[in-house]
Each structure stands twice: as C-alpha cells, then as structure tokens.
Amino acid sequence: MNTIEIDTNTQEPNYDLIKCTASLVAAYVSRNAVGVEVLPALIDQVHTAISVLQGSTAGSTSAWTGPTAAQIEASIGQDGLISFIDGRPYKTLKRHLTAHGLTPERYRAKFGLPADYPMVAPSYAERRSQIAKAIQLGHKVG
C-alpha cells in the first residue's frame, strides 16, 4: 500500500483539520466499500463535521450556524420539501440524500435541522396514511 508523506512542519492554519479528515476517511475506506463517485462527498462530510465540532469552518473566522428557523419552516411545503443541498423540492428526501451520501440523521446534523424535521412532504405522508388505513394495514386479522 502506498503512503503519502506529509510535511508536518507546515504553518497552514487548517493543516490539523485536513490531516484529521484524511486520517478518518482513510480509516473508514479501509474497512468499508466506498465507490469512487461517493468519495468526494464523504471527504466533504467528514471535513464539515470536524469543522463544526471545532467551532469554526475552514477558511473563516465564524462558525456557520445553519439555516434560520424561518428558512427551515419555509423549506417544508405541503407538496414538497426543499432540499438544503440543491434547493429543489422533493416529495421524499430519502433517495436524494442517499445519492449525496447522506442519511437523514447526517442531513439533519449537517444543516442544523431539528431531530423531528420531516423526510416526507405532508401531503404525501397523508396520502400514504389514507392508503394504509383503507387496506387496514397494522390491524390484526381475526
């Protein structure tokens, strides 16, 4: 296995952040199958998470606090949820998040969303609920 030598005498302010990100991603990739197309998103997610935990984002002096309460509320439409990744509306966010290498929990954490932030548009959830009730899903037979 080839290793990359890194000059540890560098004075770059984000050196520790980059080194930590590289170490964590390398450890994860060594134990998990990760597609080449997902690797940049994984690196970005790890870098962002470490930056948030350190209390600052790379290249800036103040930490990003995420969307405001008004932006979060505005992202929940009756017929679709507005993605904080690309700004487009979706009935469900699950497939969209998976395409970007995120889980619902990671998405909420990355954008500072509350734990009860929905992953399905309200009208879609209501329609699915009506269908489940119509076919008596969850009722015991007998």
Side-chain angles (χ1 to χ4, degrees):
M1 181 175 165
N2 294 338
T3 58
I4 298 172
E5 299 253 349
I6 300 174
D7 180 15
T8 57
N9 296 325
T10 183
Q11 298 300 317
E12 197 172 324
N14 293 322
Y15 175 75
D16 289 336
L17 176 62
I18 294 167
K19 185 176 176 183
C20 186
T21 300
S23 296
L24 284 171
V25 170
Y28 181 80
V29 170
S30 71
R31 301 268 186 212
N32 298 282
V34 176
V36 174
E37 67 282 352
V38 178
L39 196 54
L42 176 64
I43 293 169
D44 180 53
Q45 290 169 11
V46 172
H47 185 270
T48 301
I50 295 169
S51 296
V52 169
L53 290 173
Q54 285 184 335
S56 67
T57 57
S60 70
T61 56
S62 63
W64 179 66
T65 59
T68 64
Q71 291 170 323
I72 292 171
E73 187 177 331
S75 73
I76 304 171
Q78 186 62 25
D79 295 324
L81 301 171
I82 306 297
S83 167
F84 286 102
I85 296 170
D86 63 8
R88 295 176 51 198
Y90 295 90
K91 287 185 190 276
T92 69
L93 287 175
K94 181 94 171 161
R95 183 176 288 166
H96 172 62
L97 297 180
T98 303
H100 290 279
L102 294 170
T103 63
E105 293 78 22
R106 288 182 183 160
Y107 177 73
R108 288 180 181 118
K110 182 175 183 174
F111 293 102
L113 303 172
D116 63 347
Y117 185 83
M119 291 291 122
V120 179
S123 65
Y124 184 74
E126 180 59 33
R127 187 173 49 189
R128 297 293 299 209
S129 175
Q130 290 171 354
I131 291 169
K133 288 175 185 175
I135 63 172
Q136 296 184 343
L137 191 63
H139 290 276
K140 290 187 178 183
V141 177

